[in-house]
Protein backbone atom coordinates (compact mmCIF):
# COMPACT_ATOMS: atom_id res chain seq x y z
CA UNK A 1 0.00 0.00 0.00
CA UNK A 2 1.50 3.34 -1.05
CA UNK A 3 1.48 6.41 1.13
CA UNK A 4 1.14 9.04 -1.57
CA UNK A 5 -1.27 10.94 0.66
CA UNK A 6 1.46 11.53 3.26
CA UNK A 7 3.35 14.16 1.24
CA UNK A 8 0.34 16.45 0.67
CA UNK A 9 -0.86 15.85 4.24
CA UNK A 10 2.53 16.82 5.67
CA UNK A 11 2.63 19.93 3.48
CA UNK A 12 -0.87 20.99 4.60
CA UNK A 13 -0.15 20.36 8.30
CA UNK A 14 3.20 22.17 8.13
CA UNK A 15 1.70 25.08 6.19
CA UNK A 16 -1.23 25.44 8.59
CA UNK A 17 1.13 25.32 11.54
CA UNK A 18 3.34 28.02 10.05
CA UNK A 19 0.39 30.26 9.20
CA UNK A 20 -1.45 29.92 12.51
CA UNK A 21 1.77 30.29 14.50
CA UNK A 22 2.61 33.48 12.66
CA UNK A 23 -0.83 34.97 13.31
CA UNK A 24 -0.79 33.98 17.00
CA UNK A 25 2.71 35.38 17.46
CA UNK A 26 1.79 38.69 15.81
CA UNK A 27 -1.34 39.10 17.94
CA UNK A 28 0.53 38.27 21.15
CA UNK A 29 3.36 40.64 20.28
CA UNK A 30 0.90 43.45 19.60
CA UNK A 31 -0.80 42.84 22.94
CA UNK A 32 2.53 42.98 24.77
CA UNK A 33 3.55 46.12 22.88
CA UNK A 34 0.39 47.87 24.06
CA UNK A 35 0.99 47.06 27.74
CA UNK A 36 0.93 50.29 29.79
CA UNK A 37 4.39 51.41 30.90
CA UNK A 38 5.23 51.28 34.62
CA UNK A 39 5.18 55.09 34.57
CA UNK A 40 1.58 55.16 33.29
CA UNK A 41 -1.22 56.57 35.41
CA UNK A 42 -1.96 54.59 38.55
CA UNK A 43 -4.93 52.21 38.39
CA UNK A 44 -8.17 53.05 40.18
CA UNK A 45 -7.21 50.75 43.07
CA UNK A 46 -3.97 50.43 45.03
CA UNK A 47 -2.52 47.67 47.21
CA UNK A 48 -4.10 49.17 50.34
CA UNK A 49 -7.53 48.49 48.79
CA UNK A 50 -6.80 44.77 48.40
CA UNK A 51 -7.43 41.60 50.36
CA UNK A 52 -5.34 38.77 48.88
CA UNK A 53 -6.77 35.29 49.40
CA UNK A 54 -4.32 32.37 49.14
CA UNK A 55 -5.85 28.90 49.62
CA UNK A 56 -3.08 26.59 50.83
CA UNK A 57 -2.61 22.84 50.63
CA UNK A 58 0.65 21.23 51.76
CA UNK A 59 2.56 18.67 49.74
CA UNK A 60 5.00 20.72 47.68
CA UNK A 61 8.47 21.29 49.20
CA UNK A 62 8.48 24.76 47.62
CA UNK A 63 5.40 25.91 49.56
CA UNK A 64 7.06 28.03 52.28
CA UNK A 65 9.42 29.69 49.80
CA UNK A 66 6.67 30.47 47.30
CA UNK A 67 4.45 31.98 49.99
CA UNK A 68 7.29 34.22 51.16
CA UNK A 69 8.15 35.29 47.61
CA UNK A 70 4.51 36.12 46.99
CA UNK A 71 4.08 38.20 50.15
CA UNK A 72 7.27 40.11 49.37
CA UNK A 73 5.75 41.74 46.27
CA UNK A 74 2.27 42.64 47.54
CA UNK A 75 3.10 45.99 49.14
CA UNK A 76 0.42 47.20 51.52
CA UNK A 77 -2.12 44.55 50.60
CA UNK A 78 -3.52 42.36 53.34
CA UNK A 79 -2.74 38.68 52.72
CA UNK A 80 -4.96 35.91 54.08
CA UNK A 81 -3.41 32.43 54.08
CA UNK A 82 -6.33 29.98 54.08
CA UNK A 83 -5.48 26.66 55.76
CA UNK A 84 -7.40 23.49 56.61
CA UNK A 85 -7.32 22.73 60.33
CA UNK A 86 -6.06 19.19 59.65
CA UNK A 87 -3.13 20.35 57.47
CA UNK A 88 -0.30 20.80 59.99
CA UNK A 89 2.54 21.43 57.46
CA UNK A 90 0.54 24.15 55.69
CA UNK A 91 -0.36 25.73 59.02
CA UNK A 92 3.28 25.76 60.12
CA UNK A 93 4.40 27.43 56.88
CA UNK A 94 1.63 30.02 57.11
CA UNK A 95 2.25 30.87 60.78
CA UNK A 96 6.00 31.18 60.16
CA UNK A 97 5.43 33.66 57.34
CA UNK A 98 2.89 35.66 59.36
CA UNK A 99 5.33 35.91 62.28
CA UNK A 100 8.15 37.00 60.00
CA UNK A 101 5.93 39.59 58.39
CA UNK A 102 4.95 40.98 61.79
CA UNK A 103 8.61 41.14 62.87
CA UNK A 104 9.60 43.03 59.74
CA UNK A 105 6.69 45.41 60.15
CA UNK A 106 7.88 46.10 63.69
CA UNK A 107 11.44 46.72 62.50
CA UNK A 108 10.20 49.10 59.83
CA UNK A 109 8.08 50.98 62.39
CA UNK A 110 11.14 51.48 64.59
CA UNK A 111 13.46 52.36 61.74
CA UNK A 112 15.15 48.96 61.48
CA UNK A 113 16.25 47.49 58.20
CA UNK A 114 16.08 43.76 58.92
CA UNK A 115 17.74 41.20 56.69
CA UNK A 116 18.89 43.19 53.67
CA UNK A 117 19.62 40.10 51.56
CA UNK A 118 16.28 38.38 52.00
CA UNK A 119 12.91 38.72 50.32
CA UNK A 120 10.89 40.91 52.67
CA UNK A 121 7.17 40.20 53.11
CA UNK A 122 5.97 43.77 53.57
CA UNK A 123 2.30 42.86 53.29
CA UNK A 124 0.19 42.28 56.39
CA UNK A 125 -0.10 38.49 56.57
CA UNK A 126 -2.90 36.75 58.46
CA UNK A 127 -3.57 33.04 58.89
CA UNK A 128 -7.17 31.88 58.56
CA UNK A 129 -7.98 28.31 59.64
CA UNK A 130 -11.05 26.43 58.44
CA UNK A 131 -12.54 22.96 58.98
CA UNK A 132 -11.98 20.34 56.28
CA UNK A 133 -14.17 20.91 53.19
CA UNK A 134 -17.46 19.16 52.59
CA UNK A 135 -17.18 15.97 50.50
CA UNK A 136 -19.11 17.33 47.50
CA UNK A 137 -17.43 20.74 47.45
CA UNK A 138 -14.28 22.07 45.81
CA UNK A 139 -11.75 22.35 48.70
CA UNK A 140 -10.13 25.48 47.29
CA UNK A 141 -13.40 27.29 46.60
CA UNK A 142 -14.92 26.34 49.96
CA UNK A 143 -12.00 28.00 51.77
CA UNK A 144 -12.34 31.09 49.58
CA UNK A 145 -16.08 31.31 50.26
CA UNK A 146 -15.57 30.85 54.01
CA UNK A 147 -12.87 33.53 54.09
CA UNK A 148 -15.05 36.08 52.30
CA UNK A 149 -17.96 35.27 54.63
CA UNK A 150 -15.75 35.66 57.71
CA UNK A 151 -14.37 39.01 56.57
CA UNK A 152 -17.84 40.22 55.62
CA UNK A 153 -19.24 39.32 59.04
CA UNK A 154 -16.40 41.28 60.65
CA UNK A 155 -17.15 44.24 58.30
CA UNK A 156 -13.50 44.07 57.38
CA UNK A 157 -13.59 43.27 53.65
CA UNK A 158 -11.63 45.59 51.40
CA UNK A 159 -13.01 46.85 48.05
CA UNK A 160 -10.89 44.47 45.92
CA UNK A 161 -10.16 40.76 46.21
CA UNK A 162 -7.10 39.18 44.63
CA UNK A 163 -6.99 35.40 44.46
CA UNK A 164 -3.57 33.75 44.24
CA UNK A 165 -2.59 30.08 44.16
CA UNK A 166 -0.10 28.90 46.78
CA UNK A 167 2.58 28.15 44.14
CA UNK A 168 2.21 31.59 42.58
CA UNK A 169 3.91 34.95 43.02
CA UNK A 170 3.47 38.23 41.21
CA UNK A 171 6.77 39.90 40.26
CA UNK A 172 7.63 43.28 41.82
CA UNK A 173 5.04 45.78 40.64
CA UNK A 174 2.83 42.96 39.40
CA UNK A 175 -0.07 43.72 41.70
CA UNK A 176 -0.41 47.15 40.10
CA UNK A 177 -0.37 45.56 36.65
CA UNK A 178 -3.12 43.14 37.63
CA UNK A 179 -5.24 45.84 39.28
CA UNK A 180 -4.99 47.94 36.14
CA UNK A 181 -7.18 45.34 34.46
CA UNK A 182 -10.05 46.45 36.70
CA UNK A 183 -10.05 49.91 35.12
CA UNK A 184 -11.95 48.47 32.13
CA UNK A 185 -13.42 45.22 33.45
CA UNK A 186 -14.88 43.54 36.50
CA UNK A 187 -12.64 40.45 36.55
CA UNK A 188 -8.95 40.61 35.62
CA UNK A 189 -6.60 37.68 35.08
CA UNK A 190 -2.84 37.35 34.59
CA UNK A 191 -0.63 35.35 32.21
CA UNK A 192 1.03 32.27 33.76
CA UNK A 193 4.80 31.95 33.40
CA UNK A 194 6.49 28.92 34.93
CA UNK A 195 9.95 29.22 36.43
CA UNK A 196 12.45 26.84 34.85
CA UNK A 197 13.49 24.81 37.88
CA UNK A 198 13.43 21.36 39.41
CA UNK A 199 13.31 17.94 37.79
CA UNK A 200 12.83 17.23 34.10
CA UNK A 201 9.16 16.52 34.88
CA UNK A 202 8.75 19.93 36.52
CA UNK A 203 10.44 21.47 33.51
CA UNK A 204 8.19 19.59 31.08
CA UNK A 205 5.14 21.00 32.85
CA UNK A 206 6.78 24.42 32.61
CA UNK A 207 7.49 23.80 28.92
CA UNK A 208 3.83 23.07 28.22
CA UNK A 209 2.62 26.27 29.90
CA UNK A 210 5.43 28.54 28.71
CA UNK A 211 5.23 27.25 25.14
CA UNK A 212 1.52 27.96 24.80
CA UNK A 213 0.18 30.54 27.28
CA UNK A 214 1.32 33.78 25.64
CA UNK A 215 0.29 32.75 22.12
CA UNK A 216 -3.06 31.36 23.25
CA UNK A 217 -4.53 33.68 25.89
CA UNK A 218 -3.38 37.00 24.44
CA UNK A 219 -4.51 36.33 20.83
CA UNK A 220 -7.82 34.91 22.06
CA UNK A 221 -8.47 38.07 24.09
CA UNK A 222 -7.62 40.34 21.15
CA UNK A 223 -10.14 38.59 18.91
CA UNK A 224 -13.07 38.54 21.37
CA UNK A 225 -13.78 38.90 25.10
CA UNK A 226 -12.36 36.02 27.17
CA UNK A 227 -14.71 33.20 28.13
CA UNK A 228 -12.50 31.86 30.94
CA UNK A 229 -9.71 32.96 33.25
CA UNK A 230 -6.49 31.68 34.80
CA UNK A 231 -7.23 31.07 38.46
CA UNK A 232 -3.55 31.36 39.43
CA UNK A 233 -3.99 35.12 39.76
CA UNK A 234 -7.32 36.96 39.63
CA UNK A 235 -8.53 40.40 40.72
CA UNK A 236 -12.13 41.50 41.18
CA UNK A 237 -14.17 44.06 43.08
CA UNK A 238 -15.78 42.59 46.17
CA UNK A 239 -19.17 43.96 45.11
CA UNK A 240 -18.90 42.37 41.65
CA UNK A 241 -18.09 38.98 43.14
CA UNK A 242 -21.17 39.28 45.34
CA UNK A 243 -23.38 40.25 42.40
CA UNK A 244 -22.13 37.17 40.49
CA UNK A 245 -23.25 34.93 43.36
CA UNK A 246 -20.01 34.82 45.31
CA UNK A 247 -17.73 31.83 45.68
CA UNK A 248 -20.62 29.83 47.11
CA UNK A 249 -22.21 29.78 43.63
CA UNK A 250 -19.28 27.73 42.29
CA UNK A 251 -18.60 25.61 45.38
CA UNK A 252 -19.29 22.34 43.53
CA UNK A 253 -17.25 23.24 40.43
CA UNK A 254 -14.03 21.35 39.76
CA UNK A 255 -13.18 23.81 36.98
CA UNK A 256 -13.53 26.73 39.38
CA UNK A 257 -11.67 29.23 37.14
CA UNK A 258 -14.06 28.64 34.26
CA UNK A 259 -17.09 28.46 36.56
CA UNK A 260 -16.21 31.86 38.05
CA UNK A 261 -15.84 33.37 34.58
CA UNK A 262 -19.25 31.92 33.60
CA UNK A 263 -20.83 33.42 36.72
CA UNK A 264 -19.44 36.86 35.86
CA UNK A 265 -20.48 36.58 32.22
CA UNK A 266 -24.04 35.61 33.18
CA UNK A 267 -24.33 38.94 35.01
CA UNK A 268 -22.96 40.84 32.02
CA UNK A 269 -19.69 41.57 33.82
CA UNK A 270 -16.55 42.00 31.72
CA UNK A 271 -13.36 39.94 31.86
CA UNK A 272 -9.92 41.40 31.12
CA UNK A 273 -6.96 39.27 30.05
CA UNK A 274 -4.02 41.40 31.13
CA UNK A 275 -0.43 40.98 29.98
CA UNK A 276 0.73 40.92 33.60
CA UNK A 277 2.82 37.77 34.16
CA UNK A 278 2.40 35.69 37.29
CA UNK A 279 5.27 33.38 38.21
CA UNK A 280 4.67 29.74 39.13
CA UNK A 281 6.89 26.98 40.45
CA UNK A 282 5.71 23.44 41.14
CA UNK A 283 7.53 20.29 42.19
CA UNK A 284 6.70 17.36 39.91
CA UNK A 285 8.52 14.32 41.27
CA UNK A 286 8.08 11.79 38.47
CA UNK A 287 6.31 10.68 35.31
CA UNK A 288 3.13 9.52 37.05
CA UNK A 289 2.53 12.93 38.63
CA UNK A 290 3.43 14.66 35.37
CA UNK A 291 0.88 12.57 33.43
CA UNK A 292 -1.77 13.16 36.09
CA UNK A 293 -1.26 16.95 35.96
CA UNK A 294 -1.38 17.05 32.17
CA UNK A 295 -4.52 14.93 32.00
CA UNK A 296 -6.27 17.09 34.59
CA UNK A 297 -5.36 20.35 32.83
CA UNK A 298 -6.51 19.08 29.45
CA UNK A 299 -9.77 17.80 30.90
CA UNK A 300 -10.33 21.25 32.39
CA UNK A 301 -9.58 22.82 29.00
CA UNK A 302 -11.97 20.35 27.39
CA UNK A 303 -14.76 21.68 29.59
CA UNK A 304 -14.33 25.10 27.95
CA UNK A 305 -14.40 23.50 24.50
CA UNK A 306 -17.57 21.56 25.35
CA UNK A 307 -19.47 24.60 26.64
CA UNK A 308 -18.04 27.51 24.64
CA UNK A 309 -16.94 26.15 21.23
CA UNK A 310 -16.06 28.76 18.63
CA UNK A 311 -13.93 29.19 15.48
CA UNK A 312 -11.60 31.38 17.56
CA UNK A 313 -11.03 28.56 20.03
CA UNK A 314 -10.41 26.07 17.21
CA UNK A 315 -7.95 28.25 15.30
CA UNK A 316 -6.05 29.79 18.22
CA UNK A 317 -5.98 26.89 20.71
CA UNK A 318 -7.27 23.65 19.17
CA UNK A 319 -5.46 23.25 15.86
CA UNK A 320 -2.12 24.67 17.07
CA UNK A 321 -2.11 21.99 19.79
CA UNK A 322 -2.56 19.17 17.27
CA UNK A 323 -0.54 20.35 14.29
CA UNK A 324 3.07 19.99 15.57
CA UNK A 325 2.85 16.23 16.02
CA UNK A 326 0.55 15.82 12.99
CA UNK A 327 3.08 17.57 10.76
CA UNK A 328 6.00 15.47 12.04
CA UNK A 329 4.15 12.13 11.88
CA UNK A 330 2.81 12.67 8.35
CA UNK A 331 6.26 13.85 7.24
CA UNK A 332 7.78 10.64 8.64
CA UNK A 333 5.36 8.63 6.50
CA UNK A 334 6.31 10.32 3.20
CA UNK A 335 7.65 7.63 0.80
CA UNK A 336 11.22 7.98 -0.48
CA UNK A 337 14.21 8.79 1.70
CA UNK A 338 14.99 12.18 0.15
CA UNK A 339 11.37 13.34 0.13
CA UNK A 340 10.87 12.10 3.67
CA UNK A 341 14.01 13.87 4.90
CA UNK A 342 12.89 17.11 3.28
CA UNK A 343 9.38 16.83 4.73
CA UNK A 344 10.71 16.03 8.21
CA UNK A 345 13.14 18.94 8.09
CA UNK A 346 10.32 21.26 7.11
CA UNK A 347 7.96 19.99 9.81
CA UNK A 348 10.51 19.95 12.62
CA UNK A 349 11.91 23.29 11.52
CA UNK A 350 8.45 24.85 11.59
CA UNK A 351 7.76 23.49 15.07
CA UNK A 352 11.13 24.81 16.27
CA UNK A 353 10.62 28.26 14.72
CA UNK A 354 7.10 28.54 16.16
CA UNK A 355 8.29 27.66 19.67
CA UNK A 356 11.32 29.90 19.36
CA UNK A 357 9.02 32.80 18.56
CA UNK A 358 7.00 32.12 21.71
CA UNK A 359 10.22 31.73 23.71
CA UNK A 360 11.41 35.13 22.42
CA UNK A 361 8.17 36.79 23.52
CA UNK A 362 8.52 35.25 26.97
CA UNK A 363 12.14 36.36 27.20
CA UNK A 364 11.07 39.91 26.37
CA UNK A 365 8.38 39.78 29.05
CA UNK A 366 10.80 38.26 31.57
CA UNK A 367 13.45 40.93 31.02
CA UNK A 368 10.85 43.66 31.44
CA UNK A 369 9.58 42.31 34.77
CA UNK A 370 12.49 40.30 36.20
CA UNK A 371 15.66 41.52 34.51
CA UNK A 372 18.50 39.04 35.03
CA UNK A 373 16.75 37.08 37.82
CA UNK A 374 17.19 33.27 37.66
CA UNK A 375 14.44 30.98 36.40
CA UNK A 376 13.85 32.76 33.11
CA UNK A 377 13.95 31.53 29.51
CA UNK A 378 16.93 29.30 28.64
CA UNK A 379 18.04 27.12 25.74
CA UNK A 380 17.15 24.04 27.79
CA UNK A 381 13.72 25.48 28.42
CA UNK A 382 13.21 26.05 24.69
CA UNK A 383 14.11 22.41 23.95
CA UNK A 384 11.54 21.23 26.49
CA UNK A 385 8.92 23.60 25.06
CA UNK A 386 9.43 21.95 21.67
CA UNK A 387 9.13 18.52 23.28
CA UNK A 388 5.99 19.61 25.13
CA UNK A 389 4.41 20.85 21.89
CA UNK A 390 4.99 17.45 20.26
CA UNK A 391 3.64 15.60 23.32
CA UNK A 392 0.43 17.61 23.69
CA UNK A 393 -1.67 15.50 21.23
CA UNK A 394 -0.62 12.38 23.14
CA UNK A 395 -1.89 13.93 26.37
CA UNK A 396 -5.11 14.90 24.59
CA UNK A 397 -5.65 11.24 23.66
CA UNK A 398 -5.07 10.26 27.29
CA UNK A 399 -7.80 12.72 28.31
CA UNK A 400 -10.39 10.86 26.24
CA UNK A 401 -12.65 8.70 28.37
CA UNK A 402 -13.97 9.11 31.92
CA UNK A 403 -13.94 12.74 33.03
CA UNK A 404 -12.72 11.95 36.53
CA UNK A 405 -9.40 12.99 38.09
CA UNK A 406 -7.57 12.77 41.39
CA UNK A 407 -7.36 16.36 42.56
CA UNK A 408 -6.34 17.71 45.96
CA UNK A 409 -6.47 14.19 47.34
CA UNK A 410 -9.97 13.42 46.06
CA UNK A 411 -11.45 11.54 43.13
CA UNK A 412 -13.73 14.05 41.40
CA UNK A 413 -15.69 14.48 38.18
CA UNK A 414 -14.59 17.42 36.05
CA UNK A 415 -17.27 20.07 35.61
CA UNK A 416 -18.52 23.55 36.46
CA UNK A 417 -20.94 22.46 39.17
CA UNK A 418 -24.11 23.21 37.18
Amino acid sequence: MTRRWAGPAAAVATGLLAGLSGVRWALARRALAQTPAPTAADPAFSASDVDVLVPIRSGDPLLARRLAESAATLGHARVHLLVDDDDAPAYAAAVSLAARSADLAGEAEHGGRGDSGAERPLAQVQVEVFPPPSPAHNPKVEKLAAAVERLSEDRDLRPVLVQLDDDTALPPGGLTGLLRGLDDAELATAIPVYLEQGSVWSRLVAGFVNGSALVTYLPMARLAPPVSVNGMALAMRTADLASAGGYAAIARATCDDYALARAFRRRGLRIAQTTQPVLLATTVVGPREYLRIMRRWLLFAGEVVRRDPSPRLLLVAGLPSLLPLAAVVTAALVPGRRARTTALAGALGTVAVAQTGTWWLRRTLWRKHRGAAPGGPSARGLALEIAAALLTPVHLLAAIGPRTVTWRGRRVCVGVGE
Side-chain angles (χ1 to χ4, degrees), residues 184-243:
D184 300 304
E186 286 72 50
L187 179 61
T189 184
I191 282 284
V193 173
Y194 257 88
L195 302 180
E196 295 183 9
Q197 57 82 42
S199 69
V200 67
W201 306 108
S202 298
R203 292 173 183 268
L204 267 175
V205 168
F208 171 75
V209 174
N210 292 339
S212 59
L214 285 173
V215 290
T216 300
Y217 297 121
L218 296 183
M220 291 267 287
R222 289 194 67 84
L223 295 174
V227 298
S228 189
V229 292
N230 299 298
M232 298 95 163
L234 296 171
M236 68 203 90
R237 296 173 185 83
T238 304
D240 291 330
L241 174 64
S243 71

Side-chain angles (χ1 to χ4, degrees), residues 49-53 78 80 144 147-148 151-152 156-164 175 178-179 182 186-188 233-239 241-242 247:
D49 298 315
V50 175
D51 275 314
V52 180
L53 305 181
R78 185 171 55 183
H80 304 269
L144 290 167
V148 171
L151 290 170
S152 298
D156 199 26
L157 198 57
R158 292 184 176 183
V160 176
L161 288 176
V162 168
Q163 175 187 320
L164 291 178
L175 182 59
L178 182 61
L179 293 176
L182 295 181
E186 286 72 50
L187 179 61
L234 296 171
M236 68 203 90
R237 296 173 185 83
T238 304
L241 174 64
Y247 284 116

